[in-house]
Amino acid sequence: MKTIVGKKIAALFITVAMLTAALAGCSKSGDSSGASGDKKEEAQGKEDMYTVTVYAPYAATTEDCDAIAAKISEITEKEIGCKVELVRNVTKEQLNLALTSGEKLDLFYAFPWEVSLSSMASSNQIVAMDDLLKQYGSDMQNSISADDFKCVTVGGKVYGIPMNKDKAQARGFLMDKAIADEVGIDYTVKKTYAELEADLQKVKDAHPDIWPVVANAGTMMRPLPVDTLGDNLGVLENALGDSTQVVNLYDSNSYKEYVGYMYKWAQNGLMMPDAANTTESYDALIRSGVGFGTFTPIKAGFEAEETRKCGKDIVAVTMYDAHSITTMVNAAWCIANNSKNPDKAMQMLNLMYTNPEVANLFVNGIEGKNYKYVDKEKNIITYADGIDASNTGYSVVGWAWPNEQITSVWQGDDADVWTKLGEFNKAAKSSPAKGFVWDNSKVLNEVTASQNVISKYEASLDCGSVNPDEALPKMNEELKSAGLDKIIKEKQQQLDAWLAANK
């Protein structure tokens, strides 16, 4: 057996022999030293290139992320002189840990329902972008409206790039089209809870083994047109109206009506049992035939997207018209303060927003591996051979990236989906508080205490698992003790000041 020392001696002889051969080669080739030097410098240059680390949500394998990052790096090395590292499956907890631990991170997604832009700005976790945008992001800056930039502005500075996705949503109920047609549900007209209840009862009568309403991993998308004003701690009850009075959502008539129906439906078998504790997603429950439908936000192209996701034809009925609030716009991409090179991060973000080839790689992956063209001329794609939604190594969630509207269109979607999505966004009713960004820094203790109370009750109430006549008064009493009234007073003052400054 060779020892480690023996191996080192053998390696030394090999190295000397290789060096001698290399020197001999050089003497024979004469002028080849210049070309070799250039290649070494080029290799060294690539090695010294900064690597932009990108954190993104939703499922993807490490193998696919690495392959896609390598493809993107081939472009970025030439265009902006950097390489890319792509990390997906990032959760809210992992993101918060990365932001607070000093871990190297350049670009990341910021969903307003997971993290607060104003809190990250006030705690110096993200970089103000104004100067970087002027220097490296003018193409991107010029394609985003001033109103959208208001939604990502804190203290007069821009802290994020809004995702170019649906910036408005209607509220409604999505359902299995085949069953809806079978039992005669008219999903072309707007419905109330009472009208929807009658439809759900038809489903239950025809298919007693299917739950008419299912939850989404223990949560429900409430069909309420509320302007959350950032965090649901003090809201405008109806974003489709004109009132700017901040109120307690959980003490509002609309919330009481909603949870009343959920409890009733759970009691009479229209809602799946113990919905607050289910861990399965609504699309999995509908795909497997366990469920018929669930509450949902609605946008242009929505039904085709859900059909692809659920593996069945999906239709939706509207309950509240499309409206636009700040949190539908300020889902954004940010530069972490942990970035070692914010200049390069902004150049990368500009490329993600404006370069269709780069955007397509981030959103859809690699042609032939993750997707293939159905019609290249019309830019329509589908899964690559042998791949589908159940076995892909790279889930496609276009809206979560900086600009899905410059990427390919999936087969089944309207070929003009991006144009229609833009028209949908423009036609929606804007909340009177759209553009207002809540700064909770003066009431952080009250916010933390109130969020703890909400975590204790919200899922059970939303999913009909507890009697609201008993649970809701307790919840509101605990919210009062936690300081919700103080939060609402502070939020109202900030909103009034913002309204006065933005007449």
Side-chain angles (χ1 to χ4, degrees):
M1 180 183 292
K2 289 182 181 179
T3 64
I4 294 175
V5 174
K7 286 181 181 177
K8 287 185 176 177
I9 292 173
L12 179 62
F13 278 120
I14 292 170
T15 301
V16 170
M18 290 173 67
L19 185 59
T20 303
L23 289 171
C26 286
S27 65
K28 285 178 184 176
S29 59
D31 61 356
S32 66
S33 59
S36 175
D38 289 346
K39 287 181 180 177
K40 284 181 181 175
E41 285 179 13
E42 186 181 341
Q44 187 64 45
K46 282 190 177 182
E47 198 154 311
D48 292 341
M49 270 187 188
Y50 186 73
T51 297
V52 175
T53 301
V54 179
Y55 271 22
Y58 300 115
T61 64
T62 302
E63 179 192 356
D64 278 32
C65 286
D66 289 348
I68 290 163
K71 284 283 185 184
I72 296 168
S73 294
E74 290 175 10
I75 301 170
T76 56
E77 285 173 7
K78 294 175 186 171
E79 295 281 336
I80 55 175
C82 72
K83 293 186 281 191
V84 173
E85 178 191 22
L86 175 58
V87 181
R88 288 191 63 182
N89 302 313
V90 177
T91 64
K92 176 177 68 174
E93 290 74 22
Q94 290 169 325
L95 184 57
N96 280 325
L97 183 62
L99 290 171
T100 54
S101 68
E103 177 181 325
K104 180 184 174 292
L105 169 62
D106 296 287
L107 293 172
F108 68 96
Y109 69 101
F111 295 151
W113 52 92
E114 292 187 350
V115 292
S116 161
L117 200 69
S118 61
S119 295
M120 289 192 295
S122 59
S123 58
N124 206 29
Q125 292 179 337
I126 52 179
V127 173
M129 294 180 166
D130 304 74
D131 293 338
L132 293 170
L133 269 168
K134 287 177 189 167
Q135 192 166 358
Y136 302 114
S138 57
D139 294 341
M140 177 169 59
Q141 188 175 23
N142 293 336
S143 63
I144 299 172
S145 72
D147 281 347
D148 284 0
F149 267 125
K150 278 184 188 175
C151 298
V152 289
T153 297
V154 180
K157 294 181 179 177
V158 171
Y159 280 92
I161 298 300
M163 297 169 187
N164 195 17
K165 59 177 186 61
D166 55 302
K167 296 170 184 172
Q169 293 172 354
R171 298 294 186 215
F173 190 87
L174 71 83
M175 62 192 91
D176 183 328
K177 181 177 183 297
I179 296 176
D181 290 341
E182 175 196 329
V183 300
I185 294 175
D186 183 358
Y187 40 79
T188 63
V189 298
K190 202 185 298 182
K191 304 238 174 180
T192 64
Y193 290 108
E195 291 164 341
L196 182 60
E197 182 180 82
D199 289 337
L200 297 174
Q201 189 60 56
K202 291 180 189 173
V203 175
K204 187 67 181 174
D205 292 343
H207 295 276
D209 54 336
I210 293 177
W211 298 112
V213 186
V214 294
N216 182 34
T219 65
M220 290 291 280
M221 174 56 72
R222 294 187 290 259
L224 304 176
V226 169
D227 187 335
T228 60
L229 300 177
D231 57 8
N232 274 324
L233 297 173
V235 303
L236 301 188
E237 186 177 358
N238 185 3
L240 290 162
D242 297 323
S243 173
T244 57
Q245 183 183 358
V246 182
V247 301
N248 173 10
L249 167 67
Y250 305 98
D251 199 29
S252 67
N253 289 333
S254 55
Y255 186 74
K256 289 174 182 173
E257 180 186 27
Y258 164 70
V259 295
Y261 270 101
M262 292 308 99
Y263 182 65
K264 179 183 175 187
W265 292 357
Q267 293 301 299
N268 62 18
L270 296 182
M271 168 77 81
M272 68 184 298
D274 202 21
N277 291 316
T278 181
T279 56
E280 287 195 85
S281 62
Y282 72 89
D283 51 301
L285 292 166
I286 292 173
R287 189 186 311 119
S288 62
V290 172
F292 167 68
T294 192
F295 290 110
T296 184
I298 298 172
K299 63 179 181 178
F302 164 79
E303 291 176 336
E305 188 176 293
E306 290 297 321
T307 293
R308 191 165 58 247
K309 194 173 179 181
C310 297
K312 292 181 175 179
D313 285 343
I314 295 295
V315 290
V317 63
T318 299
M319 298 180 74
Y320 290 99
D321 290 332
H323 51 281
S324 183
I325 63 176
T326 296
T327 51
M328 292 175 188
V329 180
N330 73 355
W333 277 78
C334 301
I335 297 177
N337 210 29
N338 298 345
S339 173
K340 308 297 182 192
N341 194 335
D343 292 33
K344 200 58 72 180
M346 176 54 78
Q347 288 177 275
M348 184 69 235
L349 186 50
N350 188 55
L351 214 55
M352 292 167 78
Y353 201 94
T354 60
N355 185 310
E357 190 177 2
V358 170
N360 224 28
L361 280 160
F362 273 116
V363 172
N364 297 315
I366 299 171
E367 181 185 356
K369 177 179 174 67
N370 304 103
Y371 72 90
K372 68 178 182 181
Y373 280 97
V374 177
D375 187 331
K376 195 157 191 173
E377 191 176 333
K378 293 181 179 175
N379 201 19
I380 296 173
I381 61 174
T382 189
Y383 287 112
D385 293 339
I387 301 293
D388 59 29
S390 67
N391 65 5
T392 181
Y394 197 78
S395 65
V396 177
V397 191
W399 61 265
W401 293 95
N403 190 2
E404 66 171 345
Q405 297 192 38
I406 58 171
T407 65
S408 300
V409 174
W410 277 78
Q411 187 178 33
D413 287 342
D414 191 318
D416 296 324
V417 62
W418 302 139
T419 302
K420 291 183 176 177
L421 184 59
E423 292 169 351
F424 174 84
N425 288 337
K426 286 180 183 174
K429 167 81 166 59
S430 289
S431 163
K434 184 182 176 184
F436 168 68
V437 178
W438 159 235
D439 178 2
N440 62 12
S441 58
K442 291 183 180 176
V443 287
L444 277 178
N445 290 336
E446 289 78 8
V447 166
T448 301
S450 297
Q451 285 173 337
N452 288 338
V453 175
I454 290 171
S455 298
K456 179 178 173 184
Y457 289 100
E458 190 176 48
S460 297
L461 281 163
D462 283 0
C463 295
S465 301
V466 294
N467 185 345
D469 291 340
E470 298 170 1
L472 208 46
K474 289 181 185 174
M475 180 186 190
N476 280 315
E477 189 177 325
E478 290 181 31
L479 281 172
K480 189 175 275 293
S481 299
L484 181 60
D485 290 344
K486 184 177 177 181
I487 296 170
I488 289 175
K489 184 178 179 184
E490 173 64 22
K491 190 177 277 190
Q492 185 75 69
Q493 287 176 349
Q494 289 187 27
L495 177 59
D496 290 344
W498 181 87
L499 289 167
N502 289 275
K503 281 184 178 175

